[in-house]
Amino acid sequence: MGDRWAVEVDRGVCIGSGMCVNHAPGAFALDTARQSRPSVPETDADEKVLAAAEGCPVEAITITLTGSGEVVFPPEE
């Protein structure tokens, strides 16, 4: 059994670029205000979801390991 990720979008930071939807169309959607949201708050570890987080121009997407809360993205500085 693989890792499970909790995916969050900081709507106060999101600029609605849509990059997340382009990278992982099933995992993210834009609402009527053009703000991103995860399609589901928890998902199996997925390279497309990670690529979406990495491609976000304002780093509005946070991914953590479900259970432990260990940060997957963004990397700690």
Side-chain angles (χ1 to χ4, degrees):
M1 185 170 186
D3 289 334
R4 296 279 298 165
W5 288 349
V7 181
E8 296 179 28
V9 176
D10 184 335
R11 294 173 59 83
V13 175
C14 178
I15 60 171
S17 73
M19 296 297 292
C20 56
V21 176
N22 289 333
H23 285 290
F28 296 92
L30 296 180
D31 63 17
T32 56
R34 290 207 39 88
Q35 293 280 287
S36 177
R37 61 176 174 73
S39 298
V40 292
E42 192 176 298
T43 186
D44 290 330
D46 184 332
E47 289 300 316
K48 290 182 179 181
V49 172
L50 181 58
E54 291 172 339
C56 177
V58 293
E59 290 189 357
I61 301 169
T62 302
I63 302 171
T64 56
L65 288 176
T66 302
S68 72
E70 181 182 341
V71 176
V72 175
F73 188 87
E76 293 183 27
E77 295 185 32

